[in-house]
Amino acid sequence: MNPSDTALEQLLLHAAVQQHISDYTYHCLPEEACGVLLGRSSVTSRSVTVTQFIPVKNTAEFPLHSFHLDPVQWTRLVLTEKEIVGLFHSHPHTSPEPSDEDLLQLPSFGGLLQVYAIGSPAAPYAPGMKPLQLHAYKIIQGTETSELSSELPSNSWGRPASECYSLAPIPCKIQIE
C-alpha cells in the first residue's frame, strides 16, 4: 500500500468483483455499504486493477447517511492484506459523488490508498438485475492546499483547507475475466 500516484488514469474492475459490490450494496440497503478493494497497480498502464472486494461492517452512528469502517476489521485488513488499493462505500439515496462527510474522513485513510469508489443503486434495467452506478476517484496527496488546487482538474472535489488529500474522478472500466 503506497500513497496515490497522481498519474493514475483508470480503475479496472473484474466483472465478478463489480457483481459482488453490487450484491453487497443492495443487501445493505437502506444503509450505506462499505468495504476494501484489493488488487494491483500498473505504472505502465497507469491503472489500478481490482481483483477482490472485502465487505467491512458499517459501524456509523447513522448508517443510513454515513459510514465508518468497523475499526477491528479495518485494522486487521491493513495489517494482513498486502494488496489493499482502495475503499468502496455506497450512497443509497444520492449520486455516487463525494459528500462533505466523505471529504472530512479522507485524511484518516487517504495516505494508505490509491482509489476511492462510490456506488449508488440504479433503476433496474431488467427483472432481477441489481445495477450499480459506480464512480471511481484517485486519491491525491499534496503538501498544502494551494499545491492540490493547482494540480486538480476542474471537476475534482476537495475541501478548502483540507488535510492535503483530495479526489479526482477517473474512468472505471469493467473487465470480463
Side-chain angles (χ1 to χ4, degrees), residues 5-171:
D5 174 8
T6 56
L8 179 64
E9 290 187 359
Q10 66 181 337
L11 177 71
L12 304 173
L13 193 66
H14 287 196
V17 174
Q18 190 274 342
Q19 187 61 52
H20 186 195
I21 291 170
S22 180
D23 290 346
Y24 185 68
T25 298
Y26 278 86
H27 171 77
C28 290
L29 289 174
E31 297 179 353
E32 289 195 15
C34 53
V36 172
L37 305 172
L38 302 181
R40 62 190 173 281
S41 300
S42 169
V43 175
T44 308
S45 66
R46 295 166 55 163
S47 65
V48 168
T49 300
V50 176
T51 56
Q52 186 179 356
F53 169 68
I54 300 176
V56 175
K57 182 179 179 182
N58 181 354
T59 61
E61 184 176 357
F62 303 105
L64 295 175
H65 304 289
S66 63
F67 81 97
H68 292 131
L69 298 169
D70 176 273
V72 173
Q73 280 184 282
W74 170 243
T75 302
R76 186 178 308 122
L77 287 166
V78 168
L79 294 175
T80 61
E81 292 294 339
K82 304 291 186 239
E83 297 183 332
I84 296 177
V85 293
L87 186 69
F88 165 83
H89 83 279
S90 65
H91 285 181
H93 312 289
T94 60
S95 65
E97 295 176 357
S99 66
D100 289 342
E101 181 65 23
D102 295 339
L103 297 172
L104 284 171
Q105 289 190 41
L106 192 56
S108 66
F109 55 79
L112 299 172
L113 308 171
Q114 295 177 284
V115 295
Y116 192 71
I118 304 173
S120 295
Y125 299 114
M129 286 188 68
K130 295 179 180 174
L132 188 70
Q133 184 181 9
L134 188 65
H135 288 184
Y137 305 88
K138 65 180 172 179
I139 298 172
I140 299 173
Q141 181 178 9
T143 56
E144 58 184 59
T145 304
S146 60
E147 177 184 319
L148 281 175
S149 299
S150 65
E151 294 177 6
L152 293 176
S154 60
N155 61 347
S156 299
W157 288 266
R159 190 170 54 92
S162 70
E163 310 224 10
C164 302
Y165 294 98
S166 195
L167 300 172
I170 56 173

